[in-house]
């Protein structure tokens, strides 16, 4: 929004490909900083020990919402992709979270960034 109306200058998107929501903004690779990728991702978590049945009901509701054309368009309007259905599962979210921790933890540690 701020980029579109000229209030903010975007120099690059931290993605492998240009965003549909900002097609004139180069990728980080095109801007000369290859390999610095960050992505938008979302998830729902439940307390440890939650029985599998409620988790699966919640997951089914999420999958149904993500299949809705209006919801998909809202994500697209914000430059976000809806993951393929096989990645819309609790196991896939756990793998995504683990990969993100492994990617960013060394950087946070090196910069001495701590949570509150």
């Amino acid at each position: 929004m701020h980029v579109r109306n000229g209030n903010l200058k975007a120099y690059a998107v931290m993605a492998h490909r240009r965003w549909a929501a900002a097609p004139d903004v180069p990728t980080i690779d095109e801007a000369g900083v290859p390999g610095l990728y960050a992505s938008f991702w979302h998830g729902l978590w439940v307390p440890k020990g939650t029985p599998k049945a409620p988790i699966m009901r919640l997951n089914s509701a999420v999958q149904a919402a993500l299949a809705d054309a209006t919801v998909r368009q809202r994500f697209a309007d914000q430059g976000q992709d809806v993951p393929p259905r096989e990645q819309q599962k609790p196991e896939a979210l756990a793998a995504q979270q683990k990969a993100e921790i492994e990617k960013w933890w060394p950087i946070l540690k090196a910069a001495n960034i701590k949570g509150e």
Side-chain angles (χ1 to χ4, degrees):
M1 180 174 156
H2 293 295
V3 173
R4 286 185 201 146
N5 65 23
N7 291 333
L8 188 66
K9 168 78 172 150
Y11 292 97
V13 294
M14 295 174 65
H16 294 275
R17 59 182 170 80
R18 290 188 181 210
W19 284 348
D24 296 333
V25 178
T27 67
I28 197 76
D29 291 342
E30 293 169 334
V33 188
L36 183 61
Y37 308 117
S39 61
F40 294 109
W41 59 280
H42 310 274
L44 298 175
W45 285 262
V46 296
K48 187 175 183 174
T50 299
K52 188 166 181 120
I55 293 170
M56 298 318 293
R57 280 195 309 273
L58 178 60
N59 192 67
S60 291
V62 167
Q63 287 180 330
L66 293 176
D68 180 85
T70 302
V71 172
R72 296 178 78 82
Q73 187 59 53
R74 291 290 297 265
F75 275 95
D77 290 346
Q78 296 175 35
Q80 299 182 38
D81 296 323
V82 174
R85 193 159 177 103
E86 66 271 5
Q87 291 179 0
Q88 298 174 14
K89 298 178 181 177
E91 301 81 15
L93 177 59
Q96 172 76 20
Q97 182 178 9
K98 183 177 188 266
E100 289 289 304
I101 290 168
E102 289 172 356
K103 175 181 178 177
W104 295 107
W105 184 253
I107 295 166
L108 296 172
K109 190 173 180 179
N112 198 31
I113 298 171
K114 300 182 187 306
E116 293 185 280

